Amino acid sequence: MQTQRPQPEDYSLKETSPHLGGFMAAGDKRTSTYDLVEQMQYLYVRVVKAKDLPAKDVNGSCGPYVEIKLGNYKGTTCYFEKNTSPEWNQVFAFPKERIQSSYVEVIVKDKDCGKDDFIGRVVFDLNEVPKRVPPDSPLAPEWYRLEGRKEGKVGELMLAVWMGSQADEAFPEAWHSDAATVPSDGLASIRSKVYLTPKLWYLRVNVIEAQDLVPSDKNRCPEVYVKATLGNQSLRTRIWANKNANPMWNEDLMFVAAEPFEEHLILSVEDRVAQNKDEVLGKAIIPLQNVDRRFDHRPVHSRWCNLEKHVSGDGEQKKKDVKFSSRIHVRISLDGGYHVLDESTHYSSDLRATAKQLWKPRVGVLELGILNAQGLLPMKTKDGRGTTDSYCVAKYGHKWVRTRTIVDSFNPKWNEQYTWDVYDPCTVLTVGVFDNCHLQGEKAKGNKDGRIGKVRIRLSTLEAGRVYTHSYPLIILLPTGVKKMGEVQLAVRFTCSSLVNMMQLYSQPLLPKMHYIYPLAVTQLDNLRLQATQMVSMRLSRAEPPLRKEVVEYMLDVDSHMWSMRKSKANFFRIMRILSPLVGAAKWFGQVCEWKNPVTTVLIHILFIILVLYPELILPTIFLYLFLIGIWYYRWRPRQPPHMDTRLSHAETSHPDELDEEFDTFPTSRAQDLVRMRYDRLRSIAGRVQTLVGDLATQGERLQSLLSWRDPRATAIFVTFCLIAAIVLYLVPFRLAAFFAGMYLLRHPKFRQRLPSVPLSFFRRLPARTDSML
């Protein structure tokens, strides 16, 4: 097993011991759904509504609003114009650790009365405020009589005041005292939210043929092709040039479509009449709601679509008096048997097919507690000093979560907990930390949220049921070099609900069956992944608060396939590290042959003679040796989840010119056109070579992980198999075992299946060092 050089202290993973849970009183046996975060006490004030407020101006109107005062903190509700019975229904939250007063005042004021705006107030002694712990029902608000400066009735206010925690359902939508400086139009951008990505489908358009096309110039040979457009995606077939026959293509065009389907598929048959001039021979618009859905490789029925030359923008064809109509023969289907790849396959958080009917039962639950961050660096300047307004984004499967933004803090505390269903343990959880640059509402339009750092955790490297509490370094690569932006503290727990189903998954194909029965080309997958990423980014940016494009692209590693000298060197040395044991074994065998150590050479000769005389001991000895090695390494199995490795990534030793090339735009921003063309061509080719080298390194690292206990379940399966194989091969005659093994390898194609074999599926699920790559 290869040993890695230790990380520098600043970039290392640190185990922590936070006080998790604590939401229940001592002796209370009820479980808490917030047991992976530290308890944070808050004073909640819910202002519901008022009635019978007096009108203080001469017009008999009243513009009421409520002000909550707690020491130096002050929060205000929205303002109602000319309303004596307003309804606010707003919640205010004040952290208990910052409370510097023994009472809280709830004051009703009139904005229309100038300086003398006081109407009445209600005062609460904090020692008398009740405590509430979910799952108790919400505290019912009550009517309180307002106390004015003079005796007499000044109205009533409906309130609820209680002490709670971040487990309270009022917490996400509450106004927090640390956001007092945020304007009202920026409050929406600091709240915690849960997002669901759209359901993505692969749309397959099989263009078969066209009939009765009428080109404008009948004396020339038409050069006809079909152009298919879906939103901003556009593909076309090859050109058909044959004057004496109807054009036939039989080509597949693949698109990505997202539910709900907002765009129509537009098929356009065009004739290239000149070098840069195309003539439209006809168009057909097909709503995706009418397209057949398929879940396997069986084709759907084809259809003939009439082509119209005049089509309106809303999809309605304008009828014209024509004797006949051109038409096109197509087969269109929404393929639900594929998994739409919207992220790098090395960091995939979901491997399920689009069609829910093909989903397997869940195998566990992933729980994430986002505790705090420490030592964050200033990301921007405000009032002449550095500041950071940080929030976290976590992504797993279709569910994205965003914590609330902690304003102006280098050591923010979130203490928010989230849960995901797990359908495959060989997936990756991604957590990113960002700086919110949109607190000023409309004034901040056009700003981009800054990247602080990212953490990736592969679920298969976690022991089931164990709580991992670690402080992860937030490392980011800049044009000036690698930089630590701070640390984020997380608590992670993977709970297995069905051990049998999870173990069985290791023998299943990694992706749905359609990826192997009807595979897509590599270039197709790259283009479709780019389209899927843009679609997810567009949909999430339309939410409130939006997950902006720069955040989604950073979480999905959109630019991970781009050329980088640093990554290429890192992948090369990963391969060298894998091959070094083979090189060492070859050198050792050469020394044995050269009798450098006579005792060793004599023992090898004796071992060789024994194996020649008793060949049935070869395989049992090998498997038994592997079993014993795996059991021996169990004592030193990794006890921490993987994290970013700066040395593995060659981030510390990169030359500034290499980093400048890595952060260069694509296409390049170089001045000369010839240099730009050659430079882009080199980077495109080198990017594919880089990916190939990385894949080779991944396969070798998976071999190493068989006995490393990096994935405890996979190693347990392997060492158990080695023990069983050692016993079986010992009992079965070697020649008989070799005969059946050879017959199995040379079996007829009728007895083969197109799906990957069980050993290959198991091997592809093994973890590699890709999770630790920057």
Side-chain angles (χ1 to χ4, degrees):
M1 185 174 64
Q2 289 290 315
T3 58
Q4 294 287 332
R5 290 183 299 171
Q7 282 256 76
E9 186 65 25
D10 287 346
Y11 302 142
S12 60
L13 189 68
K14 302 181 182 73
E15 189 166 3
T16 59
S17 300
H19 180 62
L20 301 181
F23 287 87
M24 299 299 175
D28 196 338
K29 295 183 179 180
R30 293 178 296 172
T31 59
S32 170
T33 56
Y34 279 72
D35 59 345
L36 291 185
V37 292
E38 296 179 319
Q39 184 183 25
M40 297 176 65
Q41 291 288 338
Y42 286 88
L43 172 66
Y44 289 97
V45 180
R46 179 187 294 275
V47 181
V48 183
K49 57 184 176 180
K51 66 179 181 179
D52 301 333
L53 298 179
K56 301 185 68 174
D57 65 350
V58 294
N59 297 324
S61 63
C62 178
Y65 68 96
V66 178
E67 180 180 281
I68 291 90
K69 292 183 64 176
L70 181 63
N72 295 328
Y73 292 113
K74 182 189 296 185
T76 58
T77 65
C78 57
Y79 154 73
F80 285 98
E81 185 177 355
K82 297 181 180 180
N83 193 336
T84 58
S85 299
E87 186 170 341
W88 296 280
N89 199 24
Q90 287 183 245
V91 181
F92 298 81
F94 302 89
K96 184 179 179 181
E97 59 184 12
R98 297 185 182 179
I99 294 178
Q100 299 178 351
S101 177
S102 59
Y103 61 92
V104 57
E105 289 185 272
V106 183
I107 306 172
V108 181
K109 296 186 176 182
D110 187 353
K111 194 172 183 179
D112 297 335
C113 293
K115 294 182 179 180
D116 186 18
D117 58 355
F118 181 84
I119 295 179
R121 69 171 187 169
V122 181
V123 180
F124 294 91
D125 187 348
L126 296 185
N127 295 323
E128 303 297 329
V129 172
K131 292 184 179 180
R132 175 180 176 263
V133 178
D136 292 348
S137 298
L139 192 65
E142 301 179 18
W143 287 105
Y144 292 89
R145 179 169 295 181
L146 296 174
E147 300 176 1
R149 291 198 177 98
K150 300 178 182 179
E151 294 185 1
K153 188 176 181 180
V154 293
E156 292 182 87
L157 184 64
M158 181 176 280
L159 290 172
V161 182
W162 72 95
M163 293 295 299
S165 65
Q166 73 267 37
D168 203 295
E169 62 272 3
F171 178 82
E173 299 295 332
W175 176 93
H176 292 267
S177 57
D178 58 0
T181 59
V182 180
S184 58
D185 57 346
L187 287 175
S189 66
I190 68 173
R191 294 192 174 117
S192 58
K193 290 292 179 181
V194 175
Y195 306 83
L196 293 178
T197 57
K199 189 176 184 179
L200 301 179
W201 294 78
Y202 280 150
L203 175 66
R204 185 186 298 271
V205 181
N206 179 225
V207 182
I208 303 174
E209 60 178 329
Q211 291 183 357
D212 302 330
L213 300 179
V214 183
S216 58
D217 186 359
K218 298 184 179 180
N219 296 323
R220 54 177 288 274
C221 179
E223 299 180 1
V224 184
Y225 64 90
V226 178
K227 179 180 178 182
T229 305
L230 180 67
N232 61 352
Q233 307 173 65
S234 183
L235 297 173
R236 68 180 195 177
T237 65
R238 68 182 185 277
I239 294 178
W240 175 274
N242 190 338
K243 187 176 181 180
N244 300 322
N246 288 323
M248 297 189 65
W249 297 278
N250 198 23
E251 287 188 39
D252 279 350
L253 305 179
M254 297 292 294
F255 300 90
V256 178
E259 289 186 0
F261 302 122
E262 298 177 349
E263 294 95 3
H264 297 316
L265 175 65
I266 302 177
L267 298 177
S268 173
V269 181
E270 301 184 9
D271 180 15
R272 175 162 292 180
V273 296
Q275 183 65 30
N276 295 317
K277 183 179 179 182
D278 298 325
E279 178 189 5
V280 178
L281 302 181
K283 284 186 177 182
I285 295 183
I286 302 173
L288 296 188
Q289 291 84 350
N290 302 333
V291 173
D292 295 330
R293 304 184 182 191
R294 67 170 186 171
F295 307 140
D296 51 29
H297 62 282
R298 289 175 292 185
V300 298
H301 296 293
S302 60
R303 64 168 78 175
W304 287 95
C305 300
N306 292 331
L307 297 174
E308 301 289 341
K309 282 200 172 183
H310 302 280
V311 180
S312 62
D314 57 358
E316 295 183 359
Q317 298 180 354
K318 296 181 179 179
K319 300 297 181 180
K320 296 187 67 179
D321 295 333
V322 292
K323 295 181 180 179
F324 65 92
S325 174
S326 304
R327 59 180 188 166
I328 185 172
H329 190 199
V330 292
R331 180 180 286 109
I332 306 174
S333 63
L334 287 166
D335 290 355
Y338 291 96
H339 167 68
V340 179
L341 296 168
D342 60 349
E343 52 194 340
S344 173
T345 52
H346 296 303
Y347 319 126
S348 291
S349 61
D350 185 26
L351 302 171
R352 291 171 293 170
T354 299
K356 200 169 183 179
Q357 297 90 326
L358 303 179
W359 291 3
K360 293 181 172 62
R362 73 173 190 179
V363 296
V365 175
L366 171 65
E367 298 168 276
L368 171 68
I370 304 175
L371 303 177
N372 54 62
Q374 297 175 349
L376 298 183
L377 299 182
M379 297 293 294
K380 54 182 176 287
T381 303
K382 181 180 179 182
D383 299 330
R385 61 182 182 85
T387 182
T388 299
D389 307 314
S390 56
Y391 66 93
C392 284
V393 175
K395 172 192 71 71
Y396 184 79
H398 295 166
K399 180 179 172 182
W400 295 53
V401 299
R402 169 183 177 149
T403 67
R404 68 188 186 96
T405 299
I406 306 298
V407 180
D408 192 14
S409 176
F410 299 132
N411 300 291
K413 293 183 179 181
W414 294 288
N415 284 304
E416 298 184 25
Q417 184 170 336
Y418 299 95
T419 304
W420 289 268
D421 288 334
V422 177
Y423 294 86
D424 195 316
C426 302
T427 45
V428 177
L429 166 71
T430 305
V431 182
V433 184
F434 301 89
D435 177 50
N436 195 336
C437 297
H438 295 83
L439 299 186
Q440 302 304 317
E442 290 296 326
K443 296 180 181 178
K445 203 170 184 180
N447 292 350
K448 289 187 176 181
D449 290 351
R451 303 175 179 179
I452 298 180
K454 181 168 55 180
V455 174
R456 288 191 288 257
I457 302 175
R458 182 171 290 272
L459 269 62
S460 62
T461 62
L462 305 178
E463 297 179 12
R466 177 185 168 188
V467 178
Y468 290 82
T469 54
H470 291 87
S471 183
Y472 295 81
L474 296 172
I475 306 171
I476 195 168
L477 195 64
L478 302 173
T480 55
V482 66
K483 189 174 184 179
K484 180 181 176 181
M485 307 296 291
E487 296 181 357
V488 62
Q489 188 174 351
L490 305 175
V492 183
R493 178 172 59 204
F494 172 49
T495 306
C496 175
S497 58
S498 175
L499 182 60
V500 175
N501 289 341
M502 186 164 59
M503 291 297 190
Q504 185 183 8
L505 275 177
Y506 280 85
S507 65
Q508 301 296 322
L510 197 63
L511 293 170
K513 294 181 180 179
M514 281 290 288
H515 285 272
Y516 308 101
I517 298 176
Y518 209 159
L520 301 175
V522 175
T523 54
Q524 260 186 327
L525 287 175
D526 289 341
N527 294 330
L528 292 172
R529 178 186 172 232
L530 178 61
Q531 296 297 335
T533 302
Q534 293 177 352
M535 201 162 292
V536 171
S537 174
M538 180 186 65
R539 290 292 180 92
L540 293 181
S541 64
R542 288 160 50 181
E544 186 62 35
L547 268 182
R548 305 188 183 276
K549 180 181 178 181
E550 61 272 15
V551 175
V552 176
E553 290 183 349
Y554 182 57
M555 297 290 289
L556 292 178
D557 289 289
V558 172
D559 55 353
S560 61
H561 66 286
M562 300 299 293
W563 162 255
S564 166
M565 180 66 75
R566 176 188 60 83
K567 289 183 180 179
S568 298
K569 289 197 298 185
N571 290 332
F572 173 77
F573 284 104
R574 286 170 63 196
I575 290 181
M576 295 302 296
R577 193 177 295 113
I578 294 300
L579 296 179
S580 59
L582 298 178
V583 175
K587 291 181 178 179
W588 174 82
F589 185 73
Q591 293 175 355
V592 169
C593 295
E594 295 174 1
W595 289 76
K596 290 293 183 66
N597 188 336
V599 176
T600 304
T601 303
V602 170
L603 292 176
I604 293 299
H605 278 76
I606 295 174
L607 177 62
F608 176 73
I609 294 173
I610 293 174
L611 293 178
V612 168
L613 294 177
Y614 304 98
E616 63 272 11
L617 296 179
I618 296 177
L619 291 179
T621 302
I622 292 175
F623 283 110
L624 184 60
Y625 175 75
L626 293 176
F627 170 76
L628 294 175
I629 290 295
I631 295 299
W632 179 259
Y633 280 151
Y634 180 78
R635 298 172 56 189
W636 296 282
R637 66 191 184 279
R639 302 295 295 173
Q640 295 180 340
H643 64 290
M644 303 293 183
D645 193 328
T646 56
R647 286 182 174 169
L648 178 71
S649 307
H650 279 251
E652 297 177 296
T653 58
S654 296
H655 192 273
D657 184 63
E658 296 175 359
L659 294 177
D660 177 69
E661 180 185 18
E662 183 172 348
F663 283 90
D664 189 15
T665 57
F666 190 87
T668 179
S669 54
R670 299 297 184 268
Q672 298 183 3
D673 294 339
L674 183 59
V675 175
R676 177 181 302 172
M677 184 271 293
R678 293 177 177 176
Y679 191 52
D680 291 345
R681 181 176 59 188
L682 174 63
R683 294 173 69 188
S684 178
I685 296 174
R688 297 183 181 181
V689 175
Q690 164 192 304
T691 303
L692 177 61
V693 173
D695 291 339
L696 291 175
T698 298
Q699 307 311 319
E701 288 170 347
R702 284 173 175 167
L703 280 174
Q704 283 187 335
S705 67
L706 280 172
L707 299 173
S708 67
W709 294 97
R710 179 74 275 182
D711 183 346
R713 287 167 290 275
T715 305
I717 292 175
F718 182 73
V719 297
T720 303
F721 167 77
C722 291
L723 178 61
I724 296 174
I727 297 173
V728 171
L729 292 174
Y730 179 79
L731 298 177
V732 177
F734 176 77
R735 293 177 180 83
L736 186 62
F739 172 79
F740 283 109
M743 294 300 294
Y744 177 78
L745 292 175
L746 299 174
R747 66 192 185 280
H748 193 272
K750 289 184 178 180
F751 301 103
R752 299 177 185 268
Q753 55 180 351
R754 300 175 67 180
L755 297 179
S757 62
V758 171
L760 183 59
S761 298
F762 176 83
F763 180 77
R764 288 176 175 174
R765 291 180 174 275
L766 294 173
R769 298 284 293 171
T770 51
D771 308 329
S772 302
M773 289 284 292
L774 278 176

